Amino acid sequence: MPGEIVLGEPSHMLVPGYGTETVNIVRLWRARGSEASFDLSRFSAGQYAEAVQEAVRAENISKVLYPDDSTELGRELRLKQQYFLCSCSLRDIIRRFRLRNEGWDDFAEKTVIQLNDTHPTIAIPELMRLLVDEYELDWDRAWAITRKTFAYTCHTLLPEALETWPVHLFERLLPRHLEIIYLINMLFLREVEERFPGDVDRLRRMSIIGEGNERRVRMAHLAVVGTEAVNGVAELHSKLLRETVLQDFADLWPAKFQNVTNGVSPRRFVKLANPRLSDLITEGLGDDGWLRDLERLAGLERLADDAAFGERWRAVKRANKVDLAAGDPDSLTDVMIKRFHEYKRQQLKVLHMVTMYHRIRANPTGDWIPRTVLFAGKAAPAYHAAKSIIRLINAVGATIAADPVVAPYLKVVFAENYNVTLAEQIVPAADLSEQISLAGKEASGTGNMKLALNGAITVGTLDGANIEIRARVGEENFFLFGLDAFQAAEVRIAGYRPREHYDRDAELKTAIDSIADGTFGGVGQEVAESLLGWDEYLSLADYRSYLDAQEEVELAWRDPARWTRMSILNTARSGFFSSDRTVADYAARIWRVSPITVRREP
Ligand SMILES: *Cc1c(COP(=O)(O)O)cnc(C)c1O
């Protein structure tokens, strides 16, 4: 018996193919109060707010995507939202299937549901509920169909980012789904017990229910158990998933685990975002076939040493910088644009800027290369540490802007409200792409791809898709630094003490001391404390290596012909990172579907 009735109102977003006759549909859902939720008698009595409070509650479900989950009420709303969106889509999928099919034999053959992260995992028990409770299939048949229908893409390596829900929340909100999950878990653990008899610790590790102080439903485990394929989003990520976070599952079902490296749309992130570069590429290649077959960018390689082409390549970048108007268009435009998270290490970039500040002040007549450092990104609403870093960046920017010695060489800008539209403006103007996460933490990254395709050169660690970018553009066209994932794990195991780096490296000490002592508007204490106290993501361990890589950046920048060649080769060799290739990989390896030609009806 439902405790609450909510209406799902669909709307369509049309997605036309580029130069094709096909229009795909993204179906979106809005939550509405049902007719019964409007209380006419209260309305008639003048209690207007009370009359619609049920409907308002329903509509809140789809007001905000990913509502803040730092409070109990927020968590409840978030789980409701997940359930609402999944249930609407499943009912719609089933409705359409049944328009043209009898029975259920072909359902898994004709339907694939790709779980984009754990957020829609509740769709697995919901499909079971629909098949068993509403369509009265027996459990085994329903489970065979469900498992064949779903596939799961994991997007993280951070254990704390793998969603879990308190059992008590399920008991209150989705009791029938919890029953179904318990049964799925019992049958699953029976399978594990058969393969690994007596391995109680393995059962405990793999269970869909975590038995800690508070029992929790582990959505990633449910997603692996209830699907036919699981993939990571870059080679390293998929390997680390198999070897760490999901190792027990890879032992049990090795064939289930795959890799599909992420990609970005060349239509949005090159043609639309960077029309000047697109025109130059089309001219250099002779036609615009690269927009539908991005590997054709390889044809630009023969122009990498062409002085006249290089001149025009530089002119495009300069014009894009003038448009962006973040700083002097002749300065090195150094961008770090991504969500704020400590693993992404915006704090390491801050240490670099503060070090540059001290170097320039100590030697005002040095041969400094003017830089504009542009940050953009949001922090999750309850992520206090990330917000302290944003506050510090703004303070460092203000202090530098007010310093007549440093300001001519260094400008630090924080662009608000980072979103795709802003990314489209910043990416074409970037010279240097900061991809400096601690190795082993960034699943893939896609900003790195957008920037490389637009001729920015990466300074980065061996993390996520950076590895694949470097392998393709060539190590001489990539500024590498830092520990690799294996070394980072070793440092952790050996017992990491950030203070040792601070005590040993005078420049690092000066930088952190000045962050802590109020040099930058008195807002750096928290960041300094966290760096010196535990430095979760080894920023201090990678500091010196990062500064050395930045010296290499400046050396290359002083030679415009060399820089331009590197930039052209980054674009020429990044065709692999097209989302067309990604989608083709999903189609071939996970969905097992082949392309068909769609023709317009006469
Ligand atoms: C591409 C993009 C991202 C992903 O950036 P990463 O550097 O890969 O983390 C995040 N937000 C927006 C708005 C983007 O366009």
Side-chain angles (χ1 to χ4, degrees), residues 192-501:
V192 178
E193 167 67 21
E194 259 167 49
R195 264 291 300 284
F196 303 94
D199 193 343
V200 180
D201 203 45
R202 185 181 296 264
L203 293 176
R204 184 188 52 74
R205 291 196 308 265
M206 295 184 79
S207 175
I208 296 170
I209 307 297
E211 309 273 353
N213 284 338
E214 180 187 48
R215 302 174 72 232
R216 300 181 77 94
V217 184
R218 297 160 162 169
M219 301 309 270
H221 291 203
L222 181 56
V224 177
V225 172
T227 56
E228 191 168 52
V230 177
N231 73 283
V233 290
E235 294 285 353
L236 174 73
H237 176 230
S238 300
K239 176 174 131 72
L240 292 174
L241 278 183
R242 288 191 302 263
E243 293 174 359
T244 63
V245 196
L246 299 178
Q247 186 188 9
D248 289 322
F249 293 92
D251 284 352
L252 184 64
W253 298 310
K256 199 176 217 175
F257 288 79
Q258 306 198 39
N259 173 249
V260 181
T261 298
N262 277 163
V264 298
S265 161
R267 272 76 61 186
R268 176 167 302 275
F269 286 107
V270 187
K271 181 155 172 79
L272 200 62
N274 199 344
R276 291 186 184 98
L277 192 72
S278 300
D279 288 348
L280 182 58
I281 291 170
T282 298
E283 203 184 310
L285 295 177
D287 63 67
D288 69 358
W290 60 276
L291 280 165
R292 267 173 284 175
D293 177 8
L294 202 60
E295 294 279 13
R296 289 205 206 168
L297 289 177
L300 294 173
E301 287 212 23
R302 62 175 185 84
L303 294 167
D305 291 310
D306 181 317
F309 188 78
E311 187 76 38
R312 296 179 63 193
W313 192 269
R314 276 195 296 277
V316 164
K317 188 62 83 180
R318 193 179 187 285
N320 292 341
K321 291 199 239 181
V322 170
D323 280 0
L324 180 64
D328 176 0
D330 294 315
S331 66
L332 197 172
T333 300
D334 177 355
V335 311
M336 184 155 189
I337 49 175
K338 48 186 76 251
R339 283 178 302 116
F340 271 75
H341 198 292
E342 288 164 288
Y343 86 78
K344 290 176 181 278
R345 299 202 295 191
Q346 278 92 356
Q347 66 275 29
L348 177 56
K349 184 74 201 153
V350 174
L351 287 174
H352 172 227
M353 291 176 324
V354 170
T355 303
M356 291 311 300
Y357 166 84
H358 291 299
R359 283 185 186 174
I360 296 167
R361 278 174 62 95
N363 180 12
T365 58
D367 184 18
W368 304 112
I369 287 177
R371 275 202 204 219
T372 302
V373 180
L374 176 57
F375 285 91
K378 291 171 181 161
Y383 192 173
H384 187 86
K387 291 185 175 185
S388 319
I389 298 170
I390 294 178
R391 203 173 298 119
L392 176 60
I393 288 167
N394 281 285
V396 169
T399 303
I400 290 173
D403 187 319
V405 172
V406 183
Y409 302 109
L410 191 55
K411 180 169 180 188
V412 177
V413 184
F414 183 88
E416 284 175 20
N417 194 26
Y418 183 51
N419 58 20
V420 171
T421 304
L422 191 54
E424 287 173 29
Q425 292 163 38
I426 297 172
V427 164
D431 295 309
L432 186 64
S433 162
E434 299 277 349
Q435 307 300 336
I436 64 176
S437 53
L438 174 63
K441 299 294 176 188
E442 185 72 270
S444 160
T446 54
N448 46 4
M449 301 168 185
K450 298 166 197 169
L451 286 155
L453 276 167
N454 282 276
I457 303 168
T458 306
V459 55
T461 49
L462 286 175
D463 203 13
N466 292 355
I467 296 176
E468 290 159 76
I469 291 175
R470 180 167 175 265
R472 284 182 167 78
V473 305
E475 57 185 65
E476 69 286 5
N477 301 309
F478 186 107
F479 301 105
L480 179 69
F481 76 96
L483 302 166
D484 67 21
F486 182 79
Q487 293 165 332
E490 298 258 281
V491 167
R492 270 267 119 75
I493 290 162
Y496 176 58
R497 282 173 297 275
R499 266 200 183 266
E500 288 178 1
H501 294 277

